[in-house]
Amino acid sequence: MSKEQTLSHASGRVSFKELQQIIKMGLVQGNLIPAFAGAWLAVVMTNHSFLSSIPQILLMLIGSTLIMGGACALNNYYDQDIDSIMPSKQNRPTVNDRISDKNLLILSFGMMLVGEACLFLLNVPSGVLGLIGIVGYVSYYSIWSKRHTTWNTVVGSFPGAVPPLIGWVAIDGSISLVAIALFLVIFCWQPIHFYALAIKRSDEYSLANIPMLPSVKGFKRTRVSMFIWLVFLLPLPFLLSSLGTTFVVLATLLNLGWIYVGLTSFKKHTDQTKWATKMFIYSLNYLVVFFVLVVVVSLIKMI
């Protein structure tokens, strides 16, 4: 494709589906669940009125969506060189020239600025946590660790675990042990989730020269790391004991179920890709079930 054709192609209007790819809407939606759970628990545990807190919750969700989407768009801008090599990324609008670099940057920074304005309107701590998430994801993860160290997934887990903190602080104005517990759950969840995905795409990451753990250290070493993070998850429900024994028991069973699925990798002739797919699917269900459980149990306690 000639330069003139490329520019013409990039000047076309981006569809809503393509916009969702640019801002990684699936990732954003996944992070909104713990953000809402953090805000909900703050309402319940600090005796705020839910009805009067609805505007704060909505503004927090809008602000969080915008800063996460903007940061993801900036990540897509920076990763165009490696995305163009990886087969699974070929349909991204940033790779097939459906959006120009100029428009991509305008979209990214525009979303982040408006999102930060929303969070700062709530209170200063919310805005500061939003900035920490942006800088952590864009600078420490996307620009530095992703291309230079096998610890990239762990580094990326720090900004990725900020949403429940923002949710809590948006209501309460300060961080509590409960908010930290939610942060730790997301922090420990992410390496397992993304290592499972990285196992499935190990060849692609090797092709793009990205030092993901499975590509550099292999399946067995990655499996050990996943088990370590599963063990770290196990005691975390006890930090949320204020939600009651029923919650602690159910959340622990959820953790034990994940460990059981993980143990199936020790069977002879394990299909690594199938096992990684099971772990990945369980991780998606885990995120939803755990935080729905948080909301439902706290709602019952409130009633």
Side-chain angles (χ1 to χ4, degrees):
M1 183 180 290
S2 68
K3 183 176 181 180
E4 289 75 14
Q5 289 174 315
T6 300
L7 290 173
S8 175
H9 192 51
S11 64
R13 182 173 295 178
V14 175
S15 69
F16 180 68
K17 182 178 180 180
E18 289 172 324
L19 178 62
Q20 289 180 306
Q21 289 180 296
I22 292 169
I23 66 173
K24 301 183 181 180
M25 196 60 196
L27 185 152
V28 172
Q29 288 174 330
N31 280 297
L32 288 178
I33 296 172
F36 174 79
W40 171 261
L41 281 185
V43 169
V44 173
M45 294 188 168
T46 59
N47 298 316
H48 282 73
S49 165
F50 176 70
L51 290 178
S52 63
S53 298
I54 288 177
Q56 292 168 276
I57 294 174
L58 290 176
L59 192 59
M60 180 276 296
L61 291 174
I62 292 170
S64 297
T65 299
L66 290 172
I67 65 169
M68 288 188 287
C72 286
L74 192 56
N75 170 267
N76 276 335
Y77 168 79
Y78 187 74
D79 279 353
Q80 289 178 84
D81 58 333
I82 59 175
D83 286 350
S84 63
I85 299 172
M86 299 176 67
S88 64
K89 309 292 178 69
Q90 296 303 301
N91 290 326
R92 283 186 174 177
T94 49
V95 173
N96 59 26
D97 298 313
R98 283 289 298 149
I99 185 170
S100 67
D101 288 350
K102 177 183 176 182
N103 289 339
L104 182 58
L105 290 174
I106 291 173
L107 173 68
S108 173
F109 284 100
M111 290 181 70
M112 288 189 289
L113 286 172
V114 176
E116 275 298 305
C118 291
L119 295 182
F120 272 110
L121 278 175
L122 287 167
N123 52 50
V124 172
S126 296
V128 171
L129 284 171
L131 285 175
I132 290 173
I134 290 171
V135 173
Y137 181 71
V138 174
S139 299
Y140 292 102
Y141 172 68
S142 297
I143 296 177
W144 173 63
S145 68
K146 184 175 182 178
R147 300 177 185 234
H148 296 95
T149 174
T150 56
W151 286 90
N152 50 21
T153 304
V154 178
V155 172
S157 295
F158 280 97
V162 167
L165 295 181
I166 294 177
W168 180 282
V169 168
I171 302 299
D172 188 50
S174 60
I175 296 175
S176 71
L177 178 61
V178 171
I180 293 173
L182 296 180
F183 170 89
L184 290 174
V185 169
I186 296 297
F187 177 75
C188 294
W189 170 86
Q190 285 180 100
I192 312 166
H193 172 79
F194 287 107
Y195 284 152
L197 183 60
I199 290 171
K200 296 172 61 178
R201 297 180 178 174
S202 179
D203 292 340
E204 286 191 47
Y205 285 115
S206 296
L207 187 65
N209 200 30
I210 299 300
M212 299 298 289
L213 191 62
S215 305
V216 177
K217 301 292 185 179
F219 171 71
K220 290 184 178 180
R221 172 66 177 80
T222 304
R223 181 179 61 185
V224 170
S225 292
M226 293 170 76
F227 269 99
I228 291 173
W229 289 108
L230 281 171
V231 171
F232 285 163
L233 265 178
L234 201 54
L236 294 183
F238 293 91
L239 295 179
L240 295 165
S241 58
S242 56
L243 292 178
T245 303
T246 300
F247 170 81
V248 173
V249 170
L250 292 176
T252 299
L253 289 174
L254 192 61
N255 286 334
L256 291 173
W258 206 355
I259 290 175
Y260 172 77
V261 174
L263 287 173
T264 61
S265 68
F266 289 94
K267 294 180 180 179
K268 290 183 178 180
H269 311 299
T270 297
D271 186 314
Q272 298 177 15
T273 302
K274 286 185 178 179
W275 178 80
T277 300
K278 289 180 181 178
M279 291 292 282
F280 182 76
I281 292 172
Y282 196 102
S283 71
L284 294 175
N285 291 323
Y286 181 96
L287 186 73
V288 175
V289 173
F290 184 92
F291 284 100
V292 167
L293 191 60
V294 165
V295 172
V296 171
V297 170
S298 59
L299 177 61
I300 293 174
K301 285 179 66 68
M302 184 174 66
I303 297 173

